Amino acid sequence: MTYNSINMKRIYIEEVSQYKNEKVEIRGWVYNKRSSGKVRFLLVRDGTGIIQATIFSPEKDHPLFQLFDNLTQESAVIVRGQVKEDPRAPGGYEIAVNDLETVHIAQNYPITPKEHSVPFLMEHRHLWLRSRKQHAILQIRWEIIRAIRDFFDGLGFRLIDAPILTPSACEGTTTLFETEYFDQKAYLSQSGQLYMEAAAMAFGKVYCFGPTFRAEKSKTRRHLIEFWMVEPEVAFATLEDIILLAEDLILFILERVLTKRRAELEILERDPGPLEKIAKPFIRLTYEQTVKKLQQMGSKMLYGDDFGAPEETLLSQLYDQPVCITHFPAQIKAFYMQPDENNPEVVLGVDVMAPEGYGEIIGGGQRIHDLSLLEKRIEEFNLPREAYEWYLDLRRYGSVPHAGFGLGLERTVAWICKLKHIREAIPFPRLLYRIYP
Ligand code: 4AD
Ligand code: MG
């Protein structure tokens, strides 16, 4: 069978407004259907949108009505007909059907318009992607990915890909995924940062954007085992420089989604108000100031503790802007963080907390550029020095202050879409007890 038809332009639903009154062909799946007297309404989705296809006939047993009656939810169809503008139709246009072709009659589709439990939907994630809200989330995810690339490319950053199989840890040894690498041990990358530091010394300003892995044993609404991270790294840059970069990146992403993906935000019933309010400069607090504020609000956290979900919720009650927290105690941050020259007990790291209780979306900071200090830290953190020899080389040959950060894509998607759980922010989530489908 070929799908090339004569005299009929095959179009996608998102293009329909360009074909007013023309005869077109749409290929898709049955989203829903209903009938009323002499009319049959077929809601067809093709991946770019949903359109109403209307079959009209005074004859009760018109052949198209028979075809229509056999169609089940998610059956594959080809619809041919004229594009009509109709303010009553969802989306403002409909197809007046002349011809309907059945490609496949779907079996009983497991996801019906009624409510389903989350475990059931996760088990059927490969089908759940077709549902309106899931589809809208992933459209926004795609838009955010494009915005991120446009942002960095526009600033002259070079995209340099980091490896996924690595011989060493970046973000601590407790969340490493170990695998065999012939006769050696290897780990799935937790972060491309160390490689971006090498790349920054070769290309000046760089970024990588790829999947990263953490064997997180905690089951929370903001942790995935496999997630995507964009990681810029800049030579001759300080903590302050990359905070400014992070602010601009977030504003660029928001602006893009708010202009190009309003329809999707609406499908998700996401009020754009709180996103529209976000402006530079973001709130700046040191770790110490933050702990004091949270303690005043009743938090039991002590100086030296990491922020947990309750602290992130409290913070968002104080501010409706992102909060940049800096100057963390060295012992709660990674080995590579540059100490503050005024107080070497704290490091020049930054976490950016999203508003509305979404917590940390960015982690980064200034890196140690002094060879002997870095050697000392590797020893203090009990890291195997051989695996970091190449990284130490960067401090032997033209070492400069440099800084960068990682923005978690799914955390950002979850915040912008206001999702209850991060699992819906990625097409096929990898969770503590889930690797299927
Ligand atoms: O704060 P993290 O661990 O920082 C780094 O990995 C640095 N090496 C990045 C850099 O400076 N180049 O992770 C960065 C971000 C977090 O702020 C969060 O948004 C996201 O990655 N993230 C996760 N997202 C989902 N699930 C998880 N388990 C995540 N762990 C971190
Ligand atoms: Mg972090």
Side-chain angles (χ1 to χ4, degrees):
M1 178 168 60
T2 97
Y3 295 121
N4 293 322
S5 47
I6 316 141
N7 292 336
M8 197 80 72
K9 189 163 167 62
R10 188 262 170 116
I11 66 158
Y12 283 95
I13 293 168
E14 67 182 352
E15 307 162 329
V16 78
S17 64
Q18 301 163 36
Y19 294 94
K20 214 156 67 177
N21 300 322
E22 283 181 49
K23 290 219 164 139
V24 300
E25 176 183 289
I26 283 169
R27 303 172 185 179
W29 296 266
V30 175
Y31 192 73
N32 211 341
K33 62 175 199 177
R34 70 191 164 86
S35 40
S36 127
K38 298 178 182 131
V39 210
R40 302 286 182 278
F41 299 100
L42 201 57
L43 276 181
V44 179
R45 58 164 199 90
D46 74 346
T48 72
I50 297 179
I51 198 161
Q52 176 170 293
T54 313
I55 311 166
F56 173 83
S57 175
E59 294 167 51
K60 257 200 180 136
D61 46 4
H62 191 279
L64 285 184
F65 282 3
Q66 285 167 13
L67 276 175
F68 174 93
D69 289 340
N70 288 330
L71 291 177
T72 52
Q73 190 187 346
E74 288 305 316
S75 285
V77 291
I78 298 178
V79 172
R80 302 188 182 96
Q82 197 176 23
V83 176
K84 297 259 159 113
E85 197 166 7
D86 185 345
R88 291 164 307 173
Y93 290 90
E94 64 167 27
I95 305 284
V97 177
N98 304 122
D99 187 24
L100 178 65
E101 201 180 300
T102 306
V103 179
H104 179 244
I105 295 288
Q107 298 180 18
N108 250 348
Y109 191 64
I111 305 177
T112 55
K114 70 163 198 197
E115 288 273 310
H116 294 284
S117 72
V118 171
F120 178 87
L121 290 168
M122 291 305 295
E123 198 69 11
H124 294 85
R125 182 64 176 167
H126 50 296
L127 302 176
W128 194 21
L129 297 180
R130 304 179 190 190
S131 299
R132 212 167 200 164
K133 285 197 173 168
Q134 299 308 311
H135 191 270
I137 295 166
L138 295 181
Q139 292 281 288
I140 292 174
R141 176 187 167 103
W142 172 49
E143 198 66 59
I144 294 174
I145 293 170
R146 289 202 297 175
I148 289 170
R149 287 180 173 261
D150 289 347
F151 175 79
F152 286 113
D153 294 346
L155 288 176
F157 278 67
R158 278 20 179 199
L159 174 71
I160 304 289
D161 301 307
I164 289 183
L165 289 166
T166 64
S168 50
C170 179
E171 293 302 318
T173 48
T174 54
T175 63
L176 275 179
F177 257 113
E178 199 177 302
T179 181
E180 274 168 34
Y181 194 79
F182 306 105
D183 57 351
Q184 296 178 50
K185 257 191 215 165
Y187 309 102
L188 297 185
S189 176
Q190 296 171 307
S191 157
Q193 179 197 321
L194 307 187
Y195 296 96
M196 287 308 101
E197 291 182 55
M201 302 308 147
F203 297 87
K205 44 185 177 179
V206 297
Y207 70 104
C208 63
F209 197 173
T212 45
F213 306 84
R214 307 263 170 110
E216 305 269 9
K217 302 283 159 39
S218 53
K219 207 174 159 186
T220 78
R221 63 189 182 89
R222 56 191 69 158
H223 285 95
L224 289 165
I225 305 300
E226 179 178 317
F227 63 97
W228 284 63
M229 185 157 48
V230 59
E231 297 181 84
E233 191 71 30
V234 186
F236 298 98
T238 61
L239 172 65
E240 181 61 23
D241 294 326
I242 59 118
I243 293 178
L244 298 176
L245 185 69
E247 281 179 343
D248 284 344
L249 171 64
I250 289 172
L251 290 172
F252 191 91
I253 294 171
L254 288 173
E255 162 81 20
R256 179 69 72 81
V257 173
L258 287 167
T259 50
K260 293 189 80 172
R261 294 291 161 189
R262 282 210 106 81
E264 283 80 4
L265 293 175
E266 211 163 290
I267 290 172
L268 297 171
E269 296 165 67
R270 196 322 172 206
D271 173 10
L275 301 177
E276 282 162 344
K277 261 195 274 177
I278 290 173
K280 287 199 284 193
F282 297 168
I283 311 289
R284 299 279 188 97
L285 294 174
T286 64
Y287 171 89
E288 192 179 359
Q289 290 169 329
T290 313
V291 173
K292 282 195 181 133
K293 275 189 195 286
L294 294 173
Q295 286 169 340
Q296 281 162 13
M297 292 179 79
S299 165
K300 301 247 166 6
M301 106 174 265
L302 300 172
Y303 187 94
D305 291 347
D306 236 333
F307 302 112
E311 285 73 37
E312 291 172 345
T313 308
L314 279 180
L315 256 190
S316 65
Q317 289 166 9
L318 282 175
Y319 306 105
D320 57 7
Q321 293 290 327
V323 183
C324 304
I325 304 174
T326 59
H327 300 83
F328 291 85
Q331 66 275 15
I332 62 167
K333 286 288 174 192
F335 74 97
Y336 52 70
M337 295 245 180
Q338 172 71 22
D340 181 10
E341 58 182 355
N342 304 318
N343 175 11
E345 300 291 296
V346 302
V347 290
L348 301 179
V350 59
D351 280 4
V352 181
M353 303 291 193
E356 298 179 84
Y358 280 89
E360 181 195 332
I361 54 169
I362 283 182
Q366 194 173 323
R367 328 302 191 184
I368 293 175
H369 57 275
D370 178 73
L371 177 62
S372 53
L373 178 56
L374 188 58
E375 286 174 320
K376 198 168 138 233
R377 279 288 206 271
I378 287 177
E379 207 177 295
E380 285 168 2
F381 276 74
N382 272 322
L383 295 167
R385 182 170 160 143
E386 328 73 69
Y388 295 89
E389 270 311 322
W390 68 270
Y391 186 64
L392 290 166
D393 266 354
L394 305 175
R395 281 73 184 167
R396 292 190 180 105
Y397 308 107
S399 190
V400 298
H402 59 288
F405 63 79
L407 170 123
L409 177 63
E410 292 76 16
R411 297 250 181 111
T412 307
V413 172
W415 163 46
I416 291 178
C417 295
K418 205 166 179 187
L419 306 180
K420 289 205 188 79
H421 196 293
I422 196 168
R423 65 189 157 218
E424 292 177 34
I426 185 164
F428 295 99
R430 298 296 169 238
L431 300 162
L432 186 51
Y433 298 116
R434 174 168 298 281
I435 194 170
Y436 177 92

